[in-house]
């Protein structure tokens, strides 16, 4: 149930909850949107016979909050309803919670069990956990390549993408965009392809567009400046923001992947898709600043062109999308 909130809960984590008595589910809920009710609140409010709460167990994928944010503490609600047993998937790494919710429940006399399906619950909130623990977004690398390992031809005659994969693979990539907070490309990608970087092939919100433009080479008529999505430009100068475009200065004489992560953290971006091109992708690969990679291999060959990045990661899955092959990687631990 918690997975239903993927893409809509930022900056909050994904959380699901059920209330059970005598092996019967009395109420269930999942968090949908920041500022809205939390999973535990929805699950408890769904219980029709409140007299059964005192004999019930509440299951929740993440430690109940113990502080006042946009909503009151869920731990207080659980205690006030007389629920005596709480089963928690994993603790919340957010310093505002971080064990305080568990302790509050214990102090109130609740039986608390922590660490049930813990690995699955941590995987569920890999974006939130990475943001809290590493002070950077969870980073997806994504590119399409030909059978012979190129991501672009040698010569282009039009300022638009050269499609390597089929429309189903492109739709799959747009589905990823709909669940993540931001997408990054470099100047060359914008100059060569004039992308929109939106989720036009999938239902869902488009991510914040993050673009490297050191010397302001990109014209204001480029698609990345369309009004439907905000754009963050990383440049070498201090520029005043306008209504739909924000500017952040970074030092191009130094390694930039870490600086991009620092900017993303300040903007509270929990997940970032790095889409290209090869130089940008390889920068993150070489800096070991990535978590997952999605490589779409199309059916065609270029014979020459711009070579795809070199990745050294653990293959977690392969799948066919019509005539294309999607290979997914995770970064190997140090």
């Amino acid at each position: 149930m918690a997975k239903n909130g993927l893409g809509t809960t930022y900056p909050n984590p994904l959380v699901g909850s059920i209330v059970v008595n005598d092996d019967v589910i009395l109420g269930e809920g999942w968090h949908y949107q920041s500022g809205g009710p939390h999973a535990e609140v929805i699950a408890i409010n769904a219980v029709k016979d409140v007299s059964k709460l005192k004999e019930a167990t509440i299951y929740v994928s993440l430690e109940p909050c113990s502080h006042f944010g946009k909503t009151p503490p869920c731990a207080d609600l659980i205690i006030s309803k007389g629920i005596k047993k709480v089963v928690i998937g994993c603790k919340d790494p957010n310093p505002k919670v971080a064990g305080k919710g568990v302790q509050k429940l214990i102090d109130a006399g609740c039986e608390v069990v922590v660490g049930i399906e813990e690995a699955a619950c941590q995987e569920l909130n890999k974006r939130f956990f990475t943001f809290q623990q590493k002070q950077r977004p969870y980073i997806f690398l994504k590119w399409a390549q030909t059978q012979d390992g190129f991501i672009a031809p040698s010569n282009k005659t039009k300022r638009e993408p050269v499609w390597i994969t089929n429309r189903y693979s492109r739709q799959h990539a747009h589905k990823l965009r709909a669940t993540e907070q931001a997408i990054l490309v470099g100047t060359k990608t914008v100059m060569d392809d004039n992308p929109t970087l939106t989720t036009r092939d999938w239902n869902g919100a488009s991510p914040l567009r993050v673009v490297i433009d050191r010397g302001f080479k990109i014209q204001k008529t480029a698609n990345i400046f369309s009004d439907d999505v905000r754009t963050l430009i990383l440049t070498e100068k201090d520029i005043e923001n306008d209504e739909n475009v924000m500017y952040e200065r970074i030092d191009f004489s130094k390694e930039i992947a870490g600086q991009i992560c620092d900017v993303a953290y300040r903007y509270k971006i929990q997940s970032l898709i790095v889409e290209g091109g090869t130089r940008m992708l390889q920068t993150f690969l070489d800096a070991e600043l990535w978590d997952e990679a999605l490589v779409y291999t199309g059916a065609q060959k270029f014979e020459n062109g711009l070579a795809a990045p070199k990745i050294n990661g653990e293959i977690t899955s392969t799948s066919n999308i019509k005539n294309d092959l999607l290979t997914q990687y995770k970064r190997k631990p140090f």
Side-chain angles (χ1 to χ4, degrees):
M1 290 196 311
K3 290 180 181 179
N4 290 323
L6 182 59
T8 66
T9 66
Y10 298 117
N12 290 355
L14 301 167
V15 186
S17 180
I18 59 172
V19 179
V20 178
N21 184 38
D22 290 333
D23 293 329
V24 175
I25 296 176
L26 305 179
E28 58 185 36
W30 51 277
H31 183 50
Y32 175 74
Q33 191 172 38
S34 176
H38 289 188
E40 304 95 313
V41 176
I42 297 172
I44 290 171
N45 288 342
V47 177
K48 294 180 179 178
D49 186 353
V50 295
S51 66
K52 292 185 177 181
L53 288 173
K54 290 180 171 32
E55 305 299 325
T57 298
I58 187 167
Y59 295 81
V60 60
S61 58
L62 187 69
E63 177 182 7
C65 59
S66 55
H67 65 290
F68 282 89
K70 292 182 179 179
T71 59
C74 290
D76 289 358
L77 177 66
I78 292 169
I79 294 166
S80 71
K81 296 297 182 180
I83 299 172
K84 297 301 182 185
K85 185 172 182 179
V86 186
V87 178
I88 298 167
C90 61
K91 288 187 178 181
D92 188 337
N94 185 346
K96 294 180 179 179
V97 186
K100 299 182 183 71
V102 168
Q103 193 58 51
K104 179 176 277 193
L105 292 166
I106 293 173
D107 291 345
C110 298
E111 177 188 351
V112 180
V113 180
V114 181
I116 303 301
E117 295 288 350
E118 185 170 22
C121 291
Q122 290 173 343
E123 174 69 16
L124 172 72
N125 277 307
K126 57 193 177 186
R127 301 158 182 83
F128 181 76
F129 277 44
T130 298
F131 184 82
Q132 295 291 338
Q133 295 171 334
K134 298 182 179 181
Q135 287 76 56
R136 67 164 176 83
Y138 192 90
I139 298 173
F140 295 89
L141 307 182
K142 176 262 171 186
W143 70 87
Q145 63 184 30
T146 60
Q147 288 280 345
D148 50 355
F150 297 102
I151 69 167
S154 298
N155 298 304
K156 289 185 62 177
T157 57
K158 294 182 179 180
R159 191 176 175 228
E160 59 185 36
V162 175
W163 299 118
I164 293 173
T165 55
N166 61 46
R167 64 189 181 97
Y168 304 103
S169 292
R170 296 197 293 273
Q171 187 179 48
H172 187 276
H174 283 211
K175 179 182 178 182
L176 176 69
R177 290 180 183 180
T179 60
E180 310 312 328
Q181 276 192 285
I183 183 168
L184 170 72
V185 296
T187 307
K188 190 175 188 305
T189 297
V190 176
M191 300 288 282
D192 290 350
D193 297 344
N194 195 25
T196 59
L197 304 180
T198 61
T199 55
R200 59 194 180 279
D201 290 340
W202 192 263
N203 182 41
S206 294
L208 172 72
R209 297 177 292 208
V210 184
V211 179
I212 303 291
D213 188 10
R214 179 177 182 175
F216 288 98
K217 294 181 179 180
I218 301 171
Q219 296 182 344
K220 279 291 189 176
T221 55
N223 288 333
I224 60 156
F225 293 115
S226 61
D227 292 337
D228 48 346
V229 186
R230 299 191 78 190
T231 301
L232 172 62
I233 301 293
L234 303 180
T235 183
E236 63 182 359
K237 298 179 181 179
D238 289 316
I239 305 294
E240 202 169 303
N241 296 341
D242 60 36
E243 186 175 351
N244 204 52
V245 183
M246 302 165 289
Y247 298 90
E248 285 286 339
R249 184 172 62 85
I250 61 174
D251 187 347
F252 285 86
S253 68
K254 299 178 180 178
E255 186 271 323
I256 68 168
Q259 294 183 73
I260 293 169
C261 288
D262 291 342
V263 172
Y265 183 73
R266 292 203 306 272
Y267 277 77
K268 296 182 169 53
I269 295 170
Q270 291 184 17
S271 64
L272 175 68
I273 306 168
V274 181
E275 266 210 9
T278 295
R279 184 178 175 184
M280 177 68 67
L281 289 159
Q282 199 65 54
T283 296
F284 279 84
L285 285 164
D286 293 344
E288 294 286 353
L289 281 172
W290 66 284
D291 298 286
E292 293 185 37
L294 292 85
V295 180
Y296 299 82
T297 303
Q300 61 179 305
K301 294 182 179 180
F302 283 168
E303 296 184 358
N304 55 61
L306 183 62
K310 304 298 182 184
I311 186 169
N312 179 25
E314 177 187 349
I315 296 177
T316 56
S317 71
T318 57
S319 54
N320 291 311
I321 305 177
K322 289 290 185 177
N323 296 324
D324 295 342
L325 175 67
L326 170 60
T327 306
Q328 295 185 250
Y329 298 83
K330 275 202 169 183
R331 184 172 58 84
K332 293 178 181 178
F334 293 118

